[in-house]
Amino acid sequence: MIGRQEGALLRPCYASGPRAIHLSLSKVDGEASDISRCCCCCSVLNSPLHWFGCWGTERRSARAPAMDEGGSRIRRRVSVRKRNRPSLEILFAAPTVAELNPGVEEEEEEEEEMVAGSLRRKTVGVQPVENHDSEEDMFGDYDSFAENSFLAQVDDLEQKYMQLSENRKHSADLATTDLCSESIKHNKLSITTVGSFIELKTHEHTKNQNGHKDVSVEPGADLLYELPSSQVLYFENLQNSSNDLCDQSTKEKDWNPFSHKTVNEELPHNSIEQPQQIDESSSKVRTSSDMNRRKSLKDLLKSTMTGNAKAQTPIFSRTKQLKENLLSEEINIAKKTIESSSDDLGPFYSLPSKVRDLYVQFKGIEKLYEWQHTCLTLNSVQERKNLIYSLPTSGGKTLVAEILMLQELLCRQKDVLMILPYVAIVQEKISALSNFGIELGFFVEEYAGSKGKFPPIKRREKKSLYIATIEKGHGLINSLIETGRINSLGLVVVDELHMIAEGSRGAVLEMTLAKIIYTSKTTQIIGMSATLNNVEDLQEFLQADYFTSQFRPVELKEYLKINDAIYKVDSEAETGMTFSRLLNYKYSDTLKKMDPDHLVALVTEVIPNYSCLVFCPTKKNCENVAEMICRFLSKEYLKHREKEKQEMIKNLKDISSGNLCPVLKRTIPLGVAYHHSGLTSDERKLLEEAYSTGVLCLLTCTSTLAAGVNLPARRVILRAPYVAKEFLKRNQYKQMIGRAGRAGIDSVGESILILQENDKQQVLELISRPLENCYSHLVQEFTKGIQTLFLSLIGLKIATNLGDIYHFMSGTFFGVQQKFLLKEKSLWEITVESLRYLTEKGLLQKNTIFTEKGLTQKDATYKSEEWFQFSFHITKLGRASFKGTIDLAYCDILYRDLKKGLEGLVLESLLHLIYLTTPYDMASQCDPDWMIYFRQFNQLSPAEQNVAALIGVSENYIGKKASGQAIKKKVDKDIVNRLYLSFVLYTLLKETSIWSVSEKFNLPRGYIQSLLTAAATFSSCVLHFCEELEEFWVYRALLVELTKKLTYCVRAELVPLMEVTGVLEGRAKQLYNAGYKSLAHLANADPEVLIRTIDHLSRRQAKQIVSSAKMLLHEKAEALQEEAEELLRLPSDFPSIEKA
């Protein structure tokens, strides 16, 4: 029943399906009320759209003036009952003649019973009404528009009502007349209860005209499942109390099973009959306006139901919607918490409790370390200041960064950039965080190699987490500044911050951070590292606070081995070390010669039950040490997880087209393998997975493993204190030994550095001295550093004159350290010199400049730059170089090569295009095998030989080099070497097998894959270069396809699968053969089915593949939706037509 209280109108909100009716107190007599929106339809609760079109259960209350004489105001709470279909009779039926006039004829009573019976036949399956004290009113399923529909029932009842006798009209309920009058007065919809209920004969109701029995539905899961999620919580909360009410209702049904009790139990009975005592004039006979009122009600209901029927309501899992609603509510609470100055951290550091549950589910992290809690609760973190924090390796630095990133994405609704040093780590991080993105509703986008869109797609609702390498991160920041979107980036996280001191890559990282600081005051920067010393300089550069701790989850014990003796590193000892023990291992004469450093003795103390890493100075030494150790291991090691090792060997063959490295073939059965850059990505990934799961117990590796993926060990052995031919640095040493000790597995970690007597003094200095300082390489890397920086500053219009550029330079890391980095020249002189160089190279153009005396530069004497306010703008060539991120040392060479290519571009094969996209820097480091070069040259087709002739490399020159003859004619070696690398890439694209190309050119397969990756990246750069120069339009379409070929280098049908992070060629072939042929197939795959279908696929890998595919699919769908909306959106510059 929908009733009316004094001073307030109760408004119904109808919808199709099992939806709720809303009862809200409206604004009365100008009294202010809170404005809120419906959680279901998002419309304002005051609006007609919500009152008559919503399907949810949002409630709204307002203050209403009281009707008593004292004028006092009260707030009324309306208790509402859940209803079902039979209650329609009560809504629209008038009192029976039998009730109003006992002397009326019996035929009218029977006629009324027929109407009631008809209604029941149309609502079979609904249980009699249960009463619930609640703030919500629930209606049944009124979604039909057929002949026997709800509206048809309303029409029947109204027609019957209008045909009642004059006696019935005189005896109408006073409350009904009064409420209808008030409804018209206020122009509102208001339906009242009827004082008397229709009594129906029991035996008449039990008869069903269709021959069916009435079926009652128990309230429970089935009924709740059909309700919107916003109503489900209401029913679940009332489950206990409803049982008592059901008992009371059952007693009443036993006395009169077909009566419908609708009296509000919270209000006195006389409050319902009170309207009868207000105005006695309401008892007059209804006029024709009554008919109009009824008709208007029917029309209103009909139009409302029609609108609801047209609205498409998506069908979602009830449980899923409940979880989504709960997550949304927690995120809103977290937003308010994080914006306030309160110390309340919310369920999980201002994040929803679901984040904590996901860390338990995906990473097994149930509790944070004490230092992590301290760091996350720092005032600088709460105030969003920049922060640098430093801890030993394996201390859990990444988790803090991830929590801060999630706060930014979910609570502050800002994009986040995470910069990592290597492609492999980027891909590992994307796989790990894709699950979080899917569960929490944000995108994870890869910016590594040739992947990444500039500028990034502007998302409509969800935010993005960009995970990028150093170079791609720089390009991303440039594109955001250029499009004016840099403020959308809320947080930048830099892992391995110490890399700011490593050559050209460090210079690029410094440029990236300097631009962020200069252009955005709202973007927070978080830097972390295990090896930082001169933190004060970095703090000044980043304007950051500093946090450090020496915490390690597993104790680390450092040892030194000299001959047979092992010494423990002891800082308190006078010599820096104390004797620990002697090695007790029986060596044969042969073993002593083969293993003078006693490696076999050291590794057999821990393997196969525990893991061990042996760091070697060179790649070749890694392979030799692995073979040597296996030669002296007992046959007992073959039995350890034998079946899994055999499966691993088979898997290595599958991903390598049947090929297997002979060294790995001998070592893997004993649980040993080598790991370095000479392996392909597929091979390294398999070896890392096998080591992590314990199938392999020993890896011999180079120092790059320490800075790459996280592979901890019980014992770490350093084969020698050298990396290649250079003596070990303190930073490198700390990174290597930091891999010792696996959190949650080992109770202690050990590191052993093997050294000779002649290296003893240097090693003692190594273990005692502080970490190396970080120094800027911005000026040292001239073309990749300061010149590239100035070109981008002017191209992005960050700084276009000498004064602004100098001011920018003063705020860089180099500017902070200029006092001890600059000895011969000042920063001002270096700035002027660099700008002059760029101008002379044609990358910048100097504008006409006036001195303070009004003279042009030509008329002024060029004595002091301080007199001039230089202004520059970027040229077309400069913009192309800047957009393509081309090394300025090669930009003019690239322009000449592309220009020359237009004169006779050979398109009969890919060789000419491949040559144009072969990286210049790799060509300068190449040392061709001239016999192989000559053999490959002779196999060229006439068209391909024409390419060589156009480039300027003759067969005669290659032949003389192969035969060792002297050559008098000068030939550019870089061109010759570049063509040789082009042959390697060209052969690889034709054969797609790295193994066959490796054998043909006698090159390590890892080097070939690195060349392929570098070529794909450079091809993408050349494409952006050509897009800025109209004269090179012909290259654009060609380079798009070539970049894709170089990126994947597989059959076309495997490309969609390899777009998924973590799916390489071998895995793509397995998936394709198993029937997973598209991105959609992978996104909808069941990880458990994948494990059974795909050989050698772990559960963790399967979950990562599926989550990464889902994330990529969502990104593409979102991009298409955005594109469609952009096409349909009215242009901002649409011409307006003004009326005359």
Side-chain angles (χ1 to χ4, degrees):
M1 175 183 297
I2 303 177
R4 177 182 184 273
Q5 292 189 73
E6 296 179 23
L9 294 179
L10 302 182
R11 308 248 180 124
C13 172
Y14 299 97
S16 58
R19 309 277 170 74
I21 278 187
H22 300 225
L23 292 182
S24 300
L25 297 175
S26 69
K27 180 176 178 181
V28 179
D29 295 340
E31 191 73 10
S33 62
D34 296 333
I35 300 299
S36 56
R37 291 183 177 273
C38 178
C39 65
C40 307
C41 68
C42 294
S43 58
V44 179
L45 295 183
N46 282 333
S47 65
L49 176 63
H50 173 256
W51 296 133
F52 303 117
C54 178
W55 56 271
T57 60
E58 186 73 17
R59 300 173 305 280
R60 174 175 172 267
S61 63
R63 299 183 60 85
M67 301 298 290
D68 57 1
E69 295 180 358
S72 62
R73 303 176 186 276
I74 62 172
R75 181 184 298 274
R76 298 182 181 274
R77 291 173 56 88
V78 184
S79 177
V80 189
R81 292 163 176 74
K82 177 184 171 188
R83 296 176 176 83
N84 52 20
R85 293 170 188 165
S87 63
L88 291 172
E89 298 176 82
I90 303 172
L91 293 176
F92 301 105
T96 61
V97 177
E99 293 170 316
L100 299 174
N101 190 356
V104 81
E105 295 182 358
E106 187 175 348
E107 291 85 68
E108 292 182 3
E109 183 178 28
E110 292 174 354
E111 193 173 2
E112 189 73 8
E113 290 172 357
M114 291 175 63
V115 175
S118 175
L119 278 178
R120 285 185 171 80
R121 289 193 301 275
K122 295 163 188 172
T123 56
V124 172
V126 180
Q127 189 181 1
V129 173
E130 299 179 30
N131 295 335
H132 295 280
D133 290 337
S134 166
E135 296 178 4
E136 302 186 47
D137 192 5
M138 307 297 174
F139 263 32
D141 188 3
Y142 306 139
D143 56 353
S144 174
F145 284 84
E147 181 180 356
N148 296 330
S149 67
F150 166 66
L151 292 177
Q153 299 171 31
V154 173
D155 189 61
D156 290 342
L157 288 174
E158 289 180 354
Q159 293 296 328
K160 180 61 184 174
Y161 173 79
M162 300 308 297
Q163 294 173 4
L164 291 177
S165 64
E166 189 69 18
N167 291 334
R168 172 175 297 189
K169 294 178 184 178
H170 282 283
S171 304
D173 189 355
L174 295 176
T176 302
T177 305
D178 178 63
L179 282 176
C180 287
S181 301
E182 288 295 323
S183 296
I184 298 300
K185 181 185 298 182
H186 291 278
N187 197 20
K188 306 287 185 180
L189 172 64
S190 180
I191 309 173
T192 186
T193 56
V194 180
S196 304
F197 302 129
I198 303 172
E199 287 193 20
L200 302 175
K201 295 181 181 179
T202 303
H203 71 275
E204 287 290 330
H205 174 69
T206 54
K207 293 179 181 179
N208 192 306
Q209 294 182 3
N210 294 329
H212 298 287
K213 294 182 179 179
D214 286 349
V215 181
S216 64
V217 179
E218 291 293 327
D222 292 338
L223 183 59
L224 290 178
Y225 186 79
E226 294 182 352
L227 291 172
S229 59
S230 55
Q231 296 178 20
V232 173
L233 283 174
Y234 159 74
F235 279 107
E236 290 179 349
N237 292 336
L238 293 177
Q239 190 66 38
N240 295 330
S241 61
S242 65
N243 293 333
D244 297 334
L245 292 172
C246 287
D247 294 339
Q248 179 181 354
S249 177
T250 303
K251 293 178 181 179
E252 293 172 352
K253 291 170 195 170
D254 291 339
W255 175 73
N256 191 357
F258 305 107
S259 65
H260 298 270
K261 182 177 180 180
T262 59
V263 177
N264 190 333
E265 295 180 2
E266 290 185 2
L267 298 176
H269 181 72
N270 59 5
S271 69
I272 299 177
E273 297 179 348
Q274 184 180 359
Q276 299 177 8
Q277 304 168 10
I278 296 175
D279 190 357
E280 294 183 0
S281 62
S282 298
S283 60
K284 296 180 180 180
V285 181
R286 296 179 182 270
T287 62
S288 60
S289 60
D290 292 314
M291 298 176 62
N292 294 332
R293 293 168 192 158
R294 279 293 185 177
K295 187 174 182 181
S296 65
L297 170 62
K298 185 181 74 172
D299 293 339
L300 179 59
L301 288 174
K302 190 176 295 184
S303 62
T304 302
M305 296 297 289
T306 303
N308 285 332
K310 291 180 180 179
Q312 295 294 325
T313 303
I315 299 175
F316 292 113
S317 164
R318 175 176 64 89
T319 305
K320 182 178 179 181
Q321 279 210 339
L322 280 173
K323 289 181 178 179
E324 289 178 353
N325 291 341
L326 180 61
L327 176 61
S328 177
E329 182 180 350
E330 286 193 341
I331 288 177
N332 289 333
I333 294 172
K335 286 181 186 176
K336 296 177 181 177
T337 302
I338 212 164
E339 290 170 0
S340 68
S341 57
S342 172
D343 294 331
D344 182 15
L345 296 180
F348 185 69
Y349 297 96
S350 302
L351 288 168
S353 55
K354 184 174 182 179
V355 175
R356 177 182 55 211
D357 299 337
L358 291 177
Y359 270 107
V360 175
Q361 178 183 347
F362 295 141
K363 297 190 175 185
I365 299 174
E366 298 182 357
K367 186 179 180 181
L368 271 64
Y369 297 130
E370 184 177 347
W371 82 263
Q372 292 171 330
H373 173 77
T374 303
C375 186
L376 287 169
T377 54
L378 290 173
N379 289 334
S380 55
V381 173
Q382 302 299 319
E383 296 168 6
R384 297 193 73 248
K385 293 181 180 178
N386 294 346
L387 176 69
I388 301 170
Y389 62 98
S390 177
L391 283 98
T393 304
S394 304
K397 297 184 295 296
T398 306
L399 178 60
V400 171
E402 288 180 3
I403 291 174
L404 293 175
M405 291 191 297
L406 291 175
Q407 286 180 357
E408 203 70 30
L409 289 162
L410 301 179
C411 302
R412 298 189 181 93
Q413 291 291 299
K414 293 271 192 173
D415 295 328
V416 174
L417 169 62
M418 186 178 198
I419 299 177
L420 301 170
Y422 305 111
V423 175
I425 304 178
V426 168
Q427 294 176 341
E428 183 183 39
K429 186 59 65 178
I430 285 175
S431 298
L433 292 179
S434 289
N435 282 319
F436 287 85
I438 292 170
E439 294 290 336
L440 299 173
F442 61 86
F443 292 111
V444 182
E445 302 186 37
E446 178 181 354
Y447 280 77
S450 60
K451 293 184 178 180
K453 186 175 179 60
F454 301 105
I457 298 172
K458 190 174 183 180
R459 306 295 182 183
R460 296 177 304 157
E461 297 176 358
K462 295 183 180 180
K463 298 304 172 183
S464 293
L465 169 58
Y466 310 113
I467 302 181
T469 55
I470 293 172
E471 293 76 14
K472 286 290 184 177
H474 183 223
L476 182 66
I477 293 298
N478 284 341
S479 66
L480 290 174
I481 294 173
E482 186 175 26
T483 54
R485 291 166 51 192
I486 186 63
N487 288 324
S488 67
L489 194 65
L491 175 65
V492 175
V493 174
V494 182
D495 195 7
E496 310 295 353
L497 183 60
H498 61 270
M499 289 199 71
I500 200 170
E502 296 190 11
S504 61
R505 304 195 77 208
V508 174
L509 180 58
E510 181 180 345
M511 288 188 282
T512 304
L513 296 175
K515 288 175 184 175
I516 295 170
I517 294 170
Y518 194 85
T519 58
S520 176
K521 303 303 180 186
T522 59
T523 303
Q524 184 183 17
I525 297 175
I526 303 290
M528 53 183 172
S529 175
T531 55
L532 286 178
N533 189 29
N534 57 331
V535 183
E536 296 80 8
D537 292 343
L538 285 168
Q539 280 186 264
E540 185 178 349
F541 165 48
L542 297 177
Q543 305 163 26
D545 289 349
Y546 179 59
F547 175 85
T548 186
S549 172
Q550 295 304 315
F551 171 82
R552 272 185 61 90
V554 178
E555 181 187 1
L556 173 62
K557 296 181 179 180
E558 299 178 45
Y559 296 95
L560 303 176
K561 178 190 168 296
I562 306 173
N563 298 323
D564 291 342
I566 295 179
Y567 300 86
K568 183 178 180 180
V569 175
D570 187 357
S571 59
E572 297 180 358
E574 184 177 349
T575 60
M577 60 182 187
T578 56
F579 177 78
S580 178
R581 63 188 174 96
L582 285 173
L583 274 178
N584 184 19
Y585 190 86
K586 295 180 180 180
Y587 268 74
S588 63
D589 294 337
T590 306
L591 184 55
K592 285 181 181 179
K593 292 180 182 179
M594 297 291 295
D595 184 22
D597 295 326
H598 307 94
L599 275 173
V600 174
L602 292 174
V603 301
T604 52
E605 287 179 348
V606 291
I607 66 171
N609 296 324
Y610 299 99
S611 58
C612 182
L613 291 175
V614 179
F615 285 100
C616 303
T618 64
K619 289 183 282 188
K620 188 62 180 174
N621 191 236
C622 288
E623 299 177 31
N624 293 338
V625 168
E627 282 199 284
M628 183 273 294
I629 291 173
C630 289
R631 191 174 300 174
F632 295 101
L633 291 178
S634 67
K635 293 183 179 180
E636 292 297 320
Y637 288 88
L638 294 170
K639 299 178 182 179
H640 180 73
R641 305 183 73 163
E642 182 178 6
K643 183 179 178 181
E644 291 164 280
K645 287 184 287 193
Q646 292 301 321
E647 289 180 352
M648 182 188 172
I649 290 175
K650 181 178 179 298
N651 202 9
L652 280 170
K653 288 182 178 180
D654 291 342
I655 65 172
S656 303
S657 304
N659 297 288
L660 180 63
C661 171
V663 176
L664 293 177
K665 185 177 181 180
R666 291 190 291 269
T667 62
I668 287 177
L670 291 159
V672 180
Y674 68 88
H675 184 289
H676 58 62
S677 60
L679 296 166
T680 64
S681 299
D682 281 323
E683 290 172 319
R684 287 199 299 269
K685 198 170 186 66
L686 272 176
L687 293 175
E688 290 163 5
E689 183 68 25
Y691 178 82
S692 298
T693 55
V695 176
L696 295 177
C697 54
L698 173 64
L699 286 182
T700 59
C701 51
T702 56
S703 60
T704 54
L705 181 69
V709 292
N710 185 23
L711 294 176
R714 171 68 175 267
R715 176 175 290 180
V716 170
I717 301 172
L718 278 68
R719 173 76 173 74
Y722 291 91
V723 174
K725 296 181 180 180
E726 294 184 3
F727 196 81
L728 200 63
K729 295 179 181 178
R730 175 69 174 171
N731 291 349
Q732 294 170 325
Y733 172 73
K734 293 292 286 184
Q735 278 195 324
M736 291 181 189
I737 68 172
R739 296 301 182 194
R742 298 168 298 173
I745 301 176
D746 298 326
S747 58
V748 67
E750 300 173 341
S751 72
I752 301 175
L753 171 58
I754 301 173
L755 64 144
Q756 308 303 320
E757 282 290 347
N758 56 352
D759 292 325
K760 181 178 178 180
Q761 191 58 39
Q762 279 185 286
V763 169
L764 290 177
E765 293 176 2
L766 170 72
I767 61 175
S768 60
R769 67 170 175 249
L771 296 166
E772 288 81 11
N773 288 335
C774 291
Y775 294 113
S776 171
H777 282 252
L778 193 60
V779 174
Q780 187 176 341
E781 297 291 332
F782 202 57
T783 57
K784 290 185 178 180
I786 191 169
Q787 291 183 4
T788 300
L789 174 61
F790 287 177
L791 189 66
S792 63
L793 290 179
I794 296 168
L796 295 171
K797 299 180 180 179
I798 296 174
T800 57
N801 58 66
L802 186 59
D804 289 345
I805 294 172
Y806 178 78
H807 176 68
F808 183 94
M809 280 297 296
S810 299
T812 62
F813 190 39
F814 178 82
V816 172
Q817 297 181 329
Q818 60 176 308
K819 293 180 180 179
F820 46 87
L821 289 180
L822 293 178
K823 296 179 180 179
E824 298 178 357
K825 297 179 182 179
S826 67
L827 180 58
W828 178 271
E829 290 173 328
I830 289 177
T831 303
V832 173
E833 184 180 318
S834 299
L835 291 171
R836 185 183 295 117
Y837 175 84
L838 292 172
T839 304
E840 291 172 355
K841 199 158 182 164
L843 302 174
L844 292 180
Q845 188 171 340
K846 200 156 41 177
N847 295 333
T848 303
I849 300 165
F850 290 89
T851 66
E852 292 183 1
K853 297 178 182 179
L855 301 175
T856 64
Q857 182 180 342
K858 295 179 181 179
D859 299 327
T861 55
Y862 193 74
K863 293 182 179 179
S864 176
E865 274 75 2
E866 286 87 347
W867 283 88
F868 302 100
Q869 188 69 18
F870 287 100
S871 180
F872 300 88
H873 71 266
I874 195 167
T875 63
K876 290 183 178 180
L877 178 60
R879 181 167 293 281
S881 302
F882 154 60
K883 284 295 190 69
T885 61
I886 304 294
D887 186 344
L888 299 187
Y890 306 117
C891 64
D892 51 349
I893 302 174
L894 175 62
Y895 181 82
R896 287 199 303 268
D897 287 344
L898 293 171
K899 191 77 172 176
K900 190 176 180 180
L902 291 178
E903 298 173 3
L905 187 61
V906 179
L907 296 177
E908 293 183 41
S909 72
L910 289 173
L911 182 60
H912 201 169
L913 281 175
I914 290 173
Y915 172 80
L916 293 173
T917 56
T918 301
Y920 290 100
D921 53 350
M922 294 196 73
S924 62
Q925 302 167 8
C926 176
D927 186 16
D929 185 320
W930 296 105
M931 286 302 298
I932 295 174
Y933 201 162
F934 184 70
R935 193 183 307 124
Q936 292 297 318
F937 203 100
N938 287 332
Q939 294 175 4
L940 296 178
S941 66
E944 293 162 350
Q945 289 182 353
N946 187 31
V947 173
L950 288 169
I951 293 169
V953 180
S954 64
E955 183 181 1
N956 183 44
Y957 174 82
I958 304 298
K960 287 183 178 181
K961 292 290 288 184
S963 60
Q965 298 180 31
I967 300 174
K968 296 180 181 179
K969 184 180 178 181
K970 278 190 175 183
V971 177
D972 191 334
K973 290 183 179 180
D974 287 339
I975 293 177
V976 176
N977 292 353
R978 197 170 177 225
L979 182 62
Y980 181 71
L981 294 181
S982 301
F983 284 175
V984 177
L985 291 168
Y986 182 49
T987 307
L988 184 59
L989 286 184
K990 287 193 298 184
E991 300 183 8
T992 70
S993 172
I994 290 180
W995 278 85
S996 62
V997 176
S998 174
E999 293 174 2
K1000 189 172 291 185
F1001 287 89
N1002 194 26
L1003 291 171
R1005 53 193 182 279
Y1007 174 82
I1008 293 174
Q1009 191 169 59
S1010 298
L1011 173 64
L1012 182 65
T1013 303
T1017 303
F1018 188 64
S1019 177
S1020 176
C1021 293
V1022 176
L1023 172 60
H1024 294 308
F1025 181 89
C1026 293
E1027 286 174 344
E1028 297 299 321
L1029 297 171
E1030 188 62 33
E1031 57 193 303
F1032 295 145
W1033 63 270
V1034 69
Y1035 288 114
R1036 296 173 193 168
L1038 297 172
L1039 289 175
V1040 169
E1041 291 303 316
L1042 179 63
T1043 302
K1044 187 178 290 187
K1045 286 179 179 292
L1046 290 170
T1047 300
Y1048 301 109
C1049 193
V1050 292
R1051 304 193 313 267
E1053 59 267 24
L1054 297 181
V1055 170
L1057 300 178
M1058 292 185 66
E1059 289 180 345
V1060 177
T1061 302
V1063 176
L1064 302 175
E1065 181 181 1
R1067 187 69 73 198
K1069 289 178 179 178
Q1070 287 181 309
L1071 292 168
Y1072 188 85
N1073 293 334
Y1076 298 95
K1077 300 183 179 181
S1078 68
L1079 180 62
H1081 287 164
L1082 280 185
N1084 291 283
D1086 184 350
E1088 297 300 324
V1089 176
L1090 282 180
I1091 295 170
R1092 295 193 297 268
T1093 307
I1094 307 299
D1095 293 335
H1096 321 298
L1097 183 67
S1098 67
R1099 179 170 280 99
R1100 184 176 69 88
Q1101 287 176 314
K1103 289 181 178 179
Q1104 287 181 347
I1105 287 173
V1106 172
S1107 63
S1108 297
K1110 285 181 179 178
M1111 178 59 64
L1112 185 58
L1113 191 65
H1114 290 170
E1115 287 177 17
K1116 291 191 173 186
E1118 183 80 8
L1120 289 174
Q1121 287 178 341
E1122 178 63 28
E1123 185 178 353
E1125 289 187 3
E1126 185 65 28
L1127 289 173
L1128 297 174
R1129 193 176 295 128
L1130 185 67
S1132 58
D1133 58 350
F1134 185 77
S1136 60
I1137 302 175
E1138 298 181 0
K1139 295 182 179 181

